[in-house]
Amino acid sequence: MGKTLGIVEQRGIEPVPLEERNGNPLELFWVWFAANISVLGLPLGVSLIALGLNVPQALFAAVIGSAGSFAVVGIISIAGRNGAAPSLTLSRAMFGTRGNIGPTFVSLVSRLGWETVNTATAALAFVTFCSYCFGTAETAAKAPVVAIAGVVGFVALTVAVSVLGHAAILVVQKWATWIFGVLNLLVAAFLLGQVDFSALVSETGAEPARVLTGVGIIAAGTGIGWANSGADMARYQRPSVKAAALVVSAAAGAGIPLVIMIGMGSLVGGSNSVVLASPNPMEAIRQTLPGPVAAIYLIASIVGLLLSNHLSVYSAGLTTLTLGIRIRRVWAVVVDVAVTTTGAILFLLVATGFYGPFVAFISILAIPISAWIGIFLVDMCVRHTYSGPDLLDLSSGGAYFYTGGIRWAGLVPWLVSILVASLFVQIGEGAHPFFTGPAYFTWLGQSGLAWLLALIVGAAGYAPLARRSF
């Protein structure tokens, strides 16, 4: 373990040589388990009850939404096994070396955005924890030194693992699951003791359409955001690994902890009207806990964000390299982290009122990412191998240069699916949103399923063109 943690991965986006591909699906199981064993699943469960679902329906939505969406992550992992390269690098084969810049840039912005939110959220939890233990102020604005210390500490712990790379992530995620999973179980056990089960009996539940919306909410909030990282983690897998094993490792690895925490959140939301009505269920749940348990809850929140951030920053570094920026992977990680650190500090201390719109913006990026997923999945049905040298060849002589560096058969369906799905979204909140699509007030728009429409339209548009080389 110590030797593995001391090894810095030197590889960037180039395909992994056969002699280094000795991974197994169990390693990926622990990676996805650790990234999702967090009390941050609790507010997702509360949101399902707020939507009108009863607890059995919420559990159904949790299983289908989380395990189902991470099954997609597992499917894309198969491409990583086949091509031994990161997800966005492999997508050069379907979009062209230049056409792939669009999907890659969107993925990077989304990844950096959520890392910024994760860092700011962890710092806020640290501020609250210090308030409990040391009597400091409870807000970042009133305790700026504590807030900045929280950001710096969180980022340092993230970089310590992400810079080391793939081997270190495998070790840390596995042991963190066992060590810090206990904290989450302690919080869950205490919350379970507070549940008023008599209040749950009278819940009538929601109509099937509303349950489908719940499934969509969970999928969009869990696996869909990780789909374009599937191959990043699977590129070291042995070529002999079964495809089904990769799918199960992701679906079960993430699905088990998510179902537990989302289910617990639904129990709390269904029996506690204060938590259910709160605009911030995460904070409302914390306020129901006594001091010592609340402190554990905050630590579990920070650790959960950290374990997720390890993977996110690692993937962001690979995505940065895929844009064609010629630096080493280690420095790509450092650059990405510098951006998220700056953003987190601005959120906490300067940009009052900007946090909500920013989250809405990066949530909208789920649409182009979902469109990419649809195209990638269809392409996997017809393409089972990738040319490693051509994935890295950005010149006009490369096999994936196509027409001026663009494969229109892939890029056009991607752009069309984004355009169609954007008709069903609203950007911004309140009485004056930035943009409201003309179909936003339809059931599809109100249900927040524009991302699913983007995936379907992208896949359907690309399917008849998948074997074309233009």
Side-chain angles (χ1 to χ4, degrees), residues 218-242:
I218 299 302
T222 56
I224 295 302
W226 284 108
N228 53 15
S229 297
D232 299 1
M233 301 310 302
R235 60 198 178 119
Y236 283 89
Q237 292 287 297
R238 295 191 305 270
S240 60
V241 167
K242 300 295 184 182

Side-chain angles (χ1 to χ4, degrees), residues 257-321:
L258 281 171
V259 170
I260 291 174
M261 299 314 293
I262 294 172
M264 182 58 61
S266 68
L267 289 173
V268 173
S271 65
N272 190 318
S273 59
V274 175
V275 171
L276 185 61
S278 173
N280 186 350
M282 192 77 180
E283 176 63 15
I285 292 172
R286 196 266 303 171
Q287 292 176 354
T288 67
L289 302 173
V293 180
I296 295 175
Y297 176 80
L298 291 168
I299 293 174
S301 300
I302 295 171
V303 172
L305 288 164
L306 182 62
L307 296 176
S308 176
N309 234 38
H310 288 159
L311 301 187
S312 186
V313 170
Y314 177 74
S315 288
L318 297 175
T319 304
T320 299
L321 296 178

Side-chain angles (χ1 to χ4, degrees), residues 4 10 24 63 103 215 250 259 264 276 287 305 323 341 382 389 392 410 412 437:
T4 303
Q10 300 299 320
N24 62 78
V63 172
V215 171
V259 170
M264 182 58 61
L276 185 61
Q287 292 176 354
L305 288 164
L323 282 175
T341 300
V382 299
L392 304 178
V412 170

Side-chain angles (χ1 to χ4, degrees), residues 116 151 337-347:
T116 300
V151 170
V337 165
V339 173
T340 60
T341 300
T342 303
I345 292 175
L346 289 175
F347 277 153

Side-chain angles (χ1 to χ4, degrees), residues 14-235:
E14 62 272 19
V16 179
L18 183 61
E19 62 270 16
E20 295 182 27
R21 297 172 61 189
N22 53 15
N24 62 78
L26 184 59
E27 294 174 339
L28 297 183
F29 173 88
W30 293 120
V31 165
W32 297 120
F33 200 106
N36 292 280
I37 185 169
S38 169
V39 294
L40 299 177
L42 294 173
L44 284 175
V46 176
S47 70
L48 293 177
I49 300 300
L51 190 64
L53 278 63
N54 58 26
V55 172
Q57 290 175 329
L59 288 172
F60 173 81
V63 172
I64 303 300
S66 59
S69 63
F70 267 96
V72 174
V73 177
I75 293 172
I76 292 179
S77 296
I78 298 170
R81 180 205 63 182
N82 294 342
S87 304
L88 271 303
T89 303
L90 294 174
S91 77
R92 285 175 172 175
M94 58 207 75
F95 292 99
T97 53
R98 292 179 178 172
N100 191 53
I101 291 175
T104 303
F105 180 76
V106 168
S107 295
L108 180 60
V109 171
S110 177
R111 186 67 63 203
L112 293 178
W114 285 117
E115 287 164 16
T116 300
V117 171
N118 284 350
T119 303
T121 304
L124 287 174
F126 181 72
V127 169
T128 305
F129 177 80
C130 288
S131 177
Y132 269 128
C133 297
F134 310 113
T136 56
E138 294 184 352
T139 65
K142 294 181 179 179
V145 175
V146 176
I148 293 175
V151 170
V152 173
F154 184 82
V155 168
L157 290 171
T158 298
V159 172
V161 176
S162 299
V163 162
L164 290 176
H166 186 270
I169 288 175
L170 294 181
V171 174
V172 170
Q173 300 295 92
K174 176 181 178 179
W175 287 102
T177 298
W178 291 103
I179 296 172
F180 295 106
V182 174
L183 295 180
N184 292 281
L185 291 177
L186 286 174
V187 173
F190 190 89
L191 289 173
L192 186 63
Q194 292 185 322
V195 172
D196 180 7
F197 288 95
S198 63
L200 303 175
V201 176
S202 60
E203 294 179 346
T204 58
E207 65 276 10
R210 190 63 64 88
V211 176
L212 177 61
T213 299
V215 171
I217 290 173
I218 299 302
T222 56
I224 295 302
W226 284 108
N228 53 15
S229 297
D232 299 1
M233 301 310 302
R235 60 198 178 119

Side-chain angles (χ1 to χ4, degrees), residues 443-462:
W443 174 81
L444 191 65
Q446 293 293 294
S447 299
L449 295 176
W451 65 270
L452 180 59
L453 178 64
L455 190 155
I456 294 172
V457 172
Y462 180 69

